[in-house]
Amino acid sequence: MTPPRIAAFRPDDGRIDEAAALLDSLGAEPVPDPMLTIEPTGESPPRADFVVLTSATGVAVLDDAGWAPGDATLCCIGDSTAEAAEAAGWTVERVPDEYDSAGMVAELREDVAGQTVALARSDRASATMPEGLRDAGADVSETTLYRLERPEDAGRSAELAAAGELDGAAFTSSSTVEGFLAAAEERGIREEAIEGLNDAVVGAIADGPAATARDAGIEVDVVPDEADFEALARAVVERAGGRASERSP
């Protein structure tokens, strides 16, 4: 049986290798195509009543810098972020039910009036959380912990998709969707790459990247109940097996 060829887009900081190894263990042919590199800014969030971290990458950047939350109420979006923070020795007190910015606003809305809230995120973070928390009466500061850049050689997955040779794709953020589309655009194959994805199995780790993909005309087949890469990879591989058999000569 032909293994499904699955593209993974994790950052080029070790996680892309872990993603490829996981896909291989699931019986897939991994196509590691990192759309992001991490460039720390050297900045840290100020002292605040609440500190909000949105990714395991942000935790790693702050931990490497020797930062600690002190007396702040530490809030994390997603289990992976919370687990990374706990592994760093920090106590996580708030994790929203919905793993996105709107979910964090809903989680903190009733508790932040008159309080200081420090958001520590990437340079591509949306305005949803600061606007929502300010509307709830919080004094919000924003710190850019790291910048996300796309590697110059990214885009093999777009070429395979355009050629009808990709069976699945696992997007882990809106930035990876945008990076895929930018790489395809630079190669003059954007429409073909989208068509190729729509003939494959497309997974998104959460509703945010799923919406970004759909807005671009990409049909999303899989959004796992838990925003976890392993759950995403398993679901995509399972559904893409039949597509691989059709592709094989």
Side-chain angles (χ1 to χ4, degrees), residues 54 101 119-130 142-144 146 148 175:
T54 62
S101 295
L119 309 182
R121 309 181 290 169
S122 80
D123 64 328
R124 300 191 188 182
S126 75
T128 299
M129 193 159 31
E142 300 181 67
T143 299
T144 299
Y146 56 94
L148 298 171
S175 296

Side-chain angles (χ1 to χ4, degrees), residues 25 39 57 122 146 177 212 227 249:
S25 74
E39 300 292 340
T57 298
S122 80
Y146 56 94
V177 177
T212 301

Side-chain angles (χ1 to χ4, degrees), residues 197-249:
L197 283 185
N198 289 341
D199 285 336
V201 176
V202 175
I205 202 167
D207 290 337
T212 301
R214 289 175 179 132
D215 287 345
I218 299 170
E219 298 169 8
V220 178
D221 305 290
V222 172
V223 180
D225 292 335
E226 183 178 358
D228 173 77
F229 181 76
E230 182 172 349
L232 173 64
R234 287 183 180 278
V236 171
V237 170
E238 181 178 352
R239 294 190 59 172
R243 169 65 168 75
S245 297
E246 294 173 3
R247 174 175 55 80
S248 61

Side-chain angles (χ1 to χ4, degrees), residues 51 97 159 174 211 233 235:
V51 174
D97 292 333
E159 295 172 357
S174 291

Side-chain angles (χ1 to χ4, degrees), residues 6-246:
I6 309 296
F9 307 102
R10 307 227 73 185
D12 192 11
D13 60 358
R15 280 177 288 174
I16 191 66
D17 296 326
E18 294 172 0
L22 173 61
L23 288 169
D24 183 68
S25 74
L26 295 173
E29 177 188 339
V31 180
D33 198 4
M35 290 294 168
L36 301 172
T37 57
I38 309 300
E39 300 292 340
T41 63
E43 298 181 15
S44 298
R47 296 178 65 86
D49 298 309
F50 294 80
V51 174
V52 178
L53 304 180
T54 62
S55 69
T57 298
V59 172
V61 167
L62 288 174
D63 190 32
D64 288 345
W67 179 88
D71 295 332
T73 297
L74 184 60
C75 313
C76 293
I77 292 182
D79 289 339
S80 60
T81 307
E83 289 168 3
E86 295 282 2
W90 309 336
T91 299
V92 178
E93 298 183 52
R94 307 289 286 270
V95 178
D97 292 333
E98 299 293 330
Y99 294 168
D100 56 19
S101 295
M104 184 60 80
V105 172
E107 171 70 22
L108 299 180
R109 184 188 308 278
E110 303 302 321
D111 303 314
V112 295
Q115 302 290 298
T116 54
V117 180
L119 309 182
R121 309 181 290 169
S122 80
D123 64 328
R124 300 191 188 182
S126 75
T128 299
M129 193 159 31
E131 290 177 356
L133 293 174
R134 288 184 178 116
D135 287 344
D139 179 3
V140 179
S141 65
E142 300 181 67
T143 299
T144 299
L145 296 180
Y146 56 94
R147 295 185 176 87
L148 298 171
E149 305 291 344
R150 181 166 56 88
E152 293 182 2
D153 59 351
R156 179 183 173 223
S157 60
E159 295 172 357
L160 290 172
E165 297 178 1
L166 195 67
D167 301 306
F171 290 107
T172 53
S173 67
S174 291
S175 296
T176 58
V177 177
E178 292 161 356
F180 175 92
L181 294 170
E185 184 76 35
E186 289 171 1
R187 289 162 171 78
I189 56 172
R190 179 185 171 108
E191 290 185 10
E192 294 85 349
I194 291 174
E195 289 176 4
L197 283 185
N198 289 341
D199 285 336
V201 176
V202 175
I205 202 167
D207 290 337
T212 301
R214 289 175 179 132
D215 287 345
I218 299 170
E219 298 169 8
V220 178
D221 305 290
V222 172
V223 180
D225 292 335
E226 183 178 358
D228 173 77
F229 181 76
E230 182 172 349
L232 173 64
R234 287 183 180 278
V236 171
V237 170
E238 181 178 352
R239 294 190 59 172
R243 169 65 168 75
S245 297
E246 294 173 3

